[in-house]
Amino acid sequence: MKTGLVLEGGAMRALFSVGVMDVMMEQHVEFDGAIGVSAGAAFGCNYKSHQPERALRYNLKYCRDPRYCSFRSLIQTGDLFGADFCYHEIPEKLDPFDEETFNQSPMEFHLVCTDLKTGRAVYHPCDEISPQTLEWMRASASMPLASRIVEIDGYKLLDGGIADSIPLRYFEQLGYTRNVVVLTQPPDYVKQKNKALPLIRFAYRKYPKFIEAAARRHLLYNAATQYVREKARQGEVFVIQPEKALPIGHVEHHPEKLQTIYQIGRQTTLKNLEALKQFLNAPSKE
């Protein structure tokens, strides 16, 4: 039996997931593997490097820095979240990522991107940290209309959430039969059709398959959450998610709001900690 951690994205909503992961790391909850989408990948990699509070720390410190996230960055570089600052300056110099621990950890780590040519998900294993790995992480978190297309290994990639926001089925295919799924939306959330679809159709008119994927994203997302709920009812999945909508948008420049979302994640996990441990330690049904 392999245990897995599945991390939804959601930009700054994913500070909720950071709070969840920090409690689990502090409680020495271990997984055989994890998979993250978008911000779930960018923040979730700290689980494999075992660096609790790192994602919170640099978000609080740099959320007001225009190099981190700003419309100035979008205009000057094509990326709302500055690519060089977020994926090189911070992890390499300002708040170093523990590459050695990540590389030596037996825990697998995967991320999800969307292929513009096919409109399909690309699942990428991150065995060790390298400049190329950081580019894959950037691709996973590159939101349409707010990021440049990331070209790597022959792919043209953007946000993994377009093609597979909650990659539970994929992880099950890899043999992960007992999974903890961290969602950043509440139980009653139903995704609606993207209001920016006309802009997406224009901006990515060279990539009709990607446009098709963006147009049906809400349908895929709602089907994925229904699948997660069904697996939870069967006792194969443990879900951690906020009880109500998180009071934060995709972009946030106020540290106190980021701290609030993080604390909601911590409190939610502490509330469910014993049930979580029982789920992970229960005998296999096989």
Side-chain angles (χ1 to χ4, degrees):
M1 181 191 71
K2 293 169 66 177
T3 59
L5 176 63
V6 180
L7 301 163
E8 182 185 8
M12 291 299 100
R13 286 200 319 272
L15 263 295
F16 171 87
S17 305
V18 174
V20 173
M21 289 186 287
D22 283 359
V23 169
M24 292 194 296
M25 280 190 274
E26 292 163 5
Q27 293 291 321
H28 307 290
V29 176
E30 297 182 354
F31 295 93
D32 296 305
I35 185 166
V37 183
S38 194
F43 298 162
C45 60
N46 292 288
Y47 211 110
K48 182 172 167 63
S49 66
H50 198 74
Q51 291 179 278
E53 298 187 3
R54 178 176 177 270
L56 173 68
R57 184 171 59 241
Y58 70 70
N59 272 283
L60 293 181
K61 187 172 183 179
Y62 298 112
C63 64
R64 289 177 171 166
D65 192 317
R67 297 173 296 172
Y68 184 65
C69 177
S70 67
F71 286 106
R72 188 178 84 181
S73 174
L74 179 62
I75 293 170
Q76 292 180 344
T77 71
D79 292 299
L80 183 65
F81 288 86
D84 185 66
F85 188 73
C86 292
Y87 296 96
H88 296 285
E89 190 77 9
I90 290 177
E92 294 171 5
K93 299 177 182 178
L94 299 177
D95 198 325
F97 187 76
D98 189 342
E99 297 182 9
E100 182 177 359
T101 298
F102 184 98
N103 295 344
Q104 292 181 356
S105 170
M107 176 184 178
E108 293 184 356
F109 188 78
H110 302 252
L111 54 76
V112 188
C113 301
T114 300
D115 185 338
L116 269 77
K117 294 179 182 179
T118 67
R120 296 178 180 176
V122 177
Y123 305 96
H124 182 74
C126 300
D127 299 320
E128 61 181 27
I129 288 295
S130 67
Q132 187 178 37
T133 303
L134 293 173
E135 284 298 285
W136 274 98
M137 290 184 183
R138 179 167 77 91
S140 181
S142 290
M143 297 181 293
L145 303 177
S147 310
R148 291 172 292 166
I149 296 170
V150 180
E151 298 189 33
I152 186 170
D153 291 348
Y155 292 104
K156 291 186 176 182
L157 303 169
L158 281 176
D159 189 345
I162 299 296
D164 193 353
S165 296
I166 309 168
L168 173 60
R169 289 180 186 269
Y170 176 75
F171 235 31
E172 290 176 335
Q173 292 171 8
L174 294 186
Y176 289 89
T177 55
R178 184 164 297 177
N179 295 289
V180 174
V181 178
V182 181
L183 304 178
T184 58
Q185 296 284 12
D188 61 352
Y189 177 76
V190 177
K191 184 175 282 295
Q192 303 299 319
K193 192 172 184 178
N194 192 338
K195 294 180 180 179
L197 195 57
L199 288 176
I200 289 175
R201 292 186 188 279
F202 176 77
Y204 302 104
R205 56 193 178 278
K206 294 182 180 179
Y207 306 101
K209 295 296 185 181
F210 178 78
I211 293 173
E212 290 176 12
R216 65 175 185 271
R217 182 187 181 187
H218 63 297
L219 301 176
L220 295 175
Y221 182 91
N222 294 333
T225 55
Q226 183 176 351
Y227 182 75
V228 169
R229 287 194 293 269
E230 179 59 32
K231 285 291 184 173
R233 283 193 290 269
Q234 295 173 6
E236 298 177 20
V237 163
F238 191 94
V239 182
I240 302 177
Q241 64 188 136
E243 295 179 355
K244 57 184 179 181
L246 296 169
I248 197 168
H250 280 77
V251 176
E252 182 54 64
H253 299 296
H254 294 86
E256 63 275 11
K257 289 188 178 181
L258 298 176
Q259 183 75 52
T260 295
I261 303 305
Y262 172 80
Q263 290 298 334
I264 293 173
R266 288 190 63 91
Q267 292 162 7
T268 303
T269 310
L270 289 169
K271 180 180 177 181
N272 294 281
L273 187 58
E274 290 308 313
L276 170 64
K277 289 181 177 180
Q278 290 177 14
F279 168 79
L280 290 172
N281 295 325
S284 174
K285 297 180 181 179
E286 299 178 359

